[in-house]
């Protein structure tokens, strides 16, 4: 408990190396709460400040923490080609409302090696005219890779945008067999 009589939510984090660059993984006792692309020192520091502000507690670097152990193992297995489904508890506290609804549908309804259009995902959550809002939800995804926003494409087959950068999106789609591996 803190000085205000409230229970503090411990946030632990670690940076793991992957084929798409360093990923920051952060977890609470409820589950994985944040995944951040390109976790260089400056990106990491900004992400940790944002987490501290949003969750009300300073994140602690703890790569050996039990809250992170399984997430690190599964992320490593995914990038090694040995895992297609993440089976992790997720802490959805950084996202709410429509965005949470869309991301939950994405996580449960768009399996490894498949893709969905923004409009199709909007229809799946009962909002057929909300393709643009689905795009905004993808941009707000606090759990990329694990909640696979890289699997959402434009209706004309275009790759669409991506918070981790289009090269990262292409690499993730290639890893899942949706796109051919880049030649160089």
């Amino acid at each position: 408990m803190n000085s205000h009589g409230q229970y503090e939510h411990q946030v632990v984090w670690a940076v793991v190396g992957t084929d798409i660059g360093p990923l920051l993984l952060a977890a609470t006792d409820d589950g994985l709460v944040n995944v951040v692309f390109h976790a260089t020192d400056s990106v990491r520091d900004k992400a940790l400040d944002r987490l501290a502000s949003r969750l009300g507690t300073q994140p602690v670097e703890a790569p050996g923490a039990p809250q992170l152990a399984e997430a690190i193992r599964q992320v490593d297995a995914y990038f090694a080609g040995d895992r297609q489904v993440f089976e992790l508890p997720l802490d959805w506290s950084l996202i709410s409302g429509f965005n949470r609804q869309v991301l939950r549908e994405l996580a449960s309804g768009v399996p490894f090696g498949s893709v969905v259009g923004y409009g199709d995902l909007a229809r799946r959550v009962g909002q057929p005219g909300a393709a643009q809002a689905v795009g905004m939800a993808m941009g707000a995804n606090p759990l990329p890779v694990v909640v696979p926003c890289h699997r959402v494409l434009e209706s004309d087959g275009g790759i669409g945008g991506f918070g981790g950068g289009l090269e990262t999106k292409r690499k993730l789609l290639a890893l899942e067999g949706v796109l051919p591996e880049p030649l160089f």
Side-chain angles (χ1 to χ4, degrees), residues 65-90:
Q67 301 96 315
L68 286 171
E70 186 60 18
I72 291 170
R73 191 183 72 69
Q74 289 190 29
V75 165
D76 286 344
Y78 171 81
F79 283 102
D82 297 331
R83 173 170 284 278
Q84 296 184 351
V85 177
F86 289 99
E87 296 169 332
L88 297 168
L90 301 177

Side-chain angles (χ1 to χ4, degrees), residues 32-169:
L32 191 65
V33 70
N34 203 198
V35 176
V36 178
F37 289 115
H38 314 300
T40 59
D41 291 349
S42 63
V43 169
R44 180 200 65 213
D45 291 347
K46 286 178 189 168
L48 294 173
D49 287 346
R50 199 169 40 250
L51 273 174
S53 171
R54 298 276 311 274
L55 298 176
T57 186
Q58 190 61 43
V60 176
E61 184 175 14
Q67 301 96 315
L68 286 171
E70 186 60 18
I72 291 170
R73 191 183 72 69
Q74 289 190 29
V75 165
D76 286 344
Y78 171 81
F79 283 102
D82 297 331
R83 173 170 284 278
Q84 296 184 351
V85 177
F86 289 99
E87 296 169 332
L88 297 168
L90 301 177
D91 179 338
W92 292 94
S93 62
L94 294 179
I95 196 122
S96 61
F98 177 78
N99 290 357
R100 183 187 291 190
Q101 182 184 8
V102 168
L103 291 171
R104 282 183 180 264
E105 172 59 30
L106 175 63
S108 65
V110 183
F112 182 96
S114 65
V115 294
V116 66
Y118 293 97
D120 293 333
L121 198 50
R123 280 188 286 286
R124 287 186 187 193
V125 297
Q127 300 289 327
Q132 261 188 318
V134 166
M136 299 296 285
M138 297 304 105
N141 182 3
L143 296 161
V145 180
V146 175
V147 175
C149 53
H150 59 277
R151 297 179 189 154
V152 183
L153 304 177
E154 295 175 344
S155 60
D156 65 2
I159 197 164
F162 194 62
L166 293 182
E167 182 178 335
T168 299
K169 187 171 186 173

